[in-house]
Amino acid sequence: MFDCIIIGGGPAGLNAALVLGRAKRKVLLLDENKPRNAVTHASHGFLTRDGIKPSAFKEAAYADLRKYPNIEWAQVRVGAMTKEQGGFSVQTETKETYHARKILLATGLKDQLPDIAGIESFYGSSLFPCPFCDGWELRDRPLVVICKDERVLHLGKLIWNWSKDLVICTNGQRFLTDEQKTAFLANGIKVIEEEIAALEGEDGQLQNIRFADGQEINREGGFVAVDLQQAEAFGKALGCTYNEQGGIKTDPFGRTSVAGVYASGDTTFNGPQQLILAAAEGSKVGAGIVIDLVDEEF
């Protein structure tokens, strides 16, 4: 029996594995290797790792884990998990069954892009969800903010920090008040409420936005408000409570409402989603699991 099985090999799961392994715990990390940042060419804002390719980050993480023979991992999709006497059993879709005293859910979130023709061609190359992750690379260029709801009030103002040449597109939604539009215009931000017909460009580089009414504007990149959903439903299957944002509800050390089940990283949907924050939370939750194991044994 493992002390802990970690589901998900993103920064939270990997860092939790490192902390648990260094505490002499027997750990199994199961990862399907379908990360949310699969379209991303580089990750930013992580001290000593700024600009690193996601694949290189993962290789470096596994190189660290290899130092600890008590940490095992497998690239496999988990099919189900159930609570049993003394812990949990985890079944993979390749029919293996593993047993552990604790479970850590670090499966992350999925992005749901707006239904706009061509948007997939630019997402992760010149169109991004987070200015703190990719704002520097797009600084001072002609940018667009695509957002169909009131999040645009925050997002538009925030992106203005990185570029004053900014156009807000609400993609056919007309929810902004005259006062809100006047505030944007006062800061040089144009607002277009027409429906977007298509995003156009080449090799991942956004060049043009075409609207349903025939008008077109040239843009070199931008940011889009995406909808987020849990990548997996294991938390619900185990009976975990969720917060108002749709994340698994936890205490500061990742304990969920189900004894022995922990959650970490984007899975908790508890604040900004950034590489360094997910890794830090994985470290903290890994320590929390060790503390709970020791309390049970001492």
Side-chain angles (χ1 to χ4, degrees), residues 195-259:
E195 183 179 355
I196 298 173
L199 304 183
E200 299 170 336
E202 294 181 349
D203 299 326
Q205 177 59 59
L206 179 66
Q207 297 172 339
N208 189 61
I209 301 176
R210 182 162 48 83
F211 294 87
D213 65 356
Q215 68 174 311
E216 298 185 14
I217 59 171
N218 296 324
R219 297 285 94 182
E220 294 183 6
F223 293 86
V224 56
V226 299
D227 293 326
L228 298 171
Q229 65 177 27
Q230 291 285 339
E232 301 289 348
F234 298 130
K236 285 189 176 177
L238 289 167
C240 296
T241 300
Y242 282 66
N243 59 33
E244 293 180 353
Q245 292 73 38
I248 297 177
K249 192 173 182 179
T250 70
D251 75 359
F253 283 99
R255 303 180 185 95
T256 72
S257 58
V258 178

Side-chain angles (χ1 to χ4, degrees), residues 9-257:
L14 288 163
N15 221 126
L18 179 62
V19 171
L20 282 154
R22 287 181 50 78
K24 300 170 60 179
R25 293 296 169 176
K26 190 176 180 184
V27 182
L28 174 63
L29 188 150
L30 301 175
D31 180 30
E32 190 184 11
N33 198 26
K34 291 185 177 179
R36 178 186 173 194
N37 63 0
V39 299
T40 303
H41 298 286
S43 299
H44 299 102
F46 195 135
L47 196 62
T48 76
R49 298 289 183 273
D50 189 48
I52 192 171
K53 291 182 179 179
S55 58
F57 178 87
K58 210 158 193 175
E59 289 172 11
Y62 279 109
D64 285 341
L65 299 188
R66 287 190 188 94
K67 302 172 187 173
Y68 306 92
N70 48 322
I71 303 175
E72 301 178 35
W73 58 86
Q75 184 176 326
V76 65
R77 178 174 174 77
V78 170
M81 59 188 75
T82 55
K83 195 169 178 60
E84 60 184 13
Q85 184 69 30
F88 302 85
S89 67
V90 176
Q91 298 82 43
T92 70
E93 289 194 346
T94 49
K95 308 301 182 187
E96 296 96 348
T97 298
Y98 301 100
H99 303 274
R101 295 169 60 189
K102 308 291 184 187
I103 294 289
L104 171 56
L105 301 175
T107 47
L109 300 170
K110 283 183 178 177
D111 294 341
Q112 284 191 309
L113 293 172
D115 185 16
I116 299 174
I119 194 168
E120 293 87 356
S121 301
F122 308 107
Y123 192 60
S125 297
S126 56
L127 197 63
F128 304 95
C130 172
F132 292 102
C133 298
D134 297 288
W136 174 260
E137 285 65 34
L138 296 182
R139 66 192 185 281
D140 303 324
R141 295 165 65 178
L143 302 182
V144 63
V145 173
I146 300 174
C147 182
K148 64 179 181 180
D149 54 43
E150 292 188 349
R151 288 178 291 176
V152 77
L153 298 172
H154 168 71
L155 191 58
K157 185 166 61 175
L158 189 61
I159 304 303
W160 181 81
N161 176 73
W162 280 270
S163 176
K164 302 297 186 283
D165 187 351
L166 191 60
V167 176
I168 285 175
C169 295
T170 61
N171 194 24
Q173 304 303 310
R174 302 176 186 278
F175 56 88
L176 289 173
T177 66
D178 289 342
E179 182 180 7
Q180 290 166 339
K181 284 187 275 191
T182 298
F184 280 132
L185 286 171
N187 288 284
I189 302 173
K190 185 178 180 180
V191 176
I192 299 179
E193 296 178 309
E194 296 298 327
E195 183 179 355
I196 298 173
L199 304 183
E200 299 170 336
E202 294 181 349
D203 299 326
Q205 177 59 59
L206 179 66
Q207 297 172 339
N208 189 61
I209 301 176
R210 182 162 48 83
F211 294 87
D213 65 356
Q215 68 174 311
E216 298 185 14
I217 59 171
N218 296 324
R219 297 285 94 182
E220 294 183 6
F223 293 86
V224 56
V226 299
D227 293 326
L228 298 171
Q229 65 177 27
Q230 291 285 339
E232 301 289 348
F234 298 130
K236 285 189 176 177
L238 289 167
C240 296
T241 300
Y242 282 66
N243 59 33
E244 293 180 353
Q245 292 73 38
I248 297 177
K249 192 173 182 179
T250 70
D251 75 359
F253 283 99
R255 303 180 185 95
T256 72
S257 58

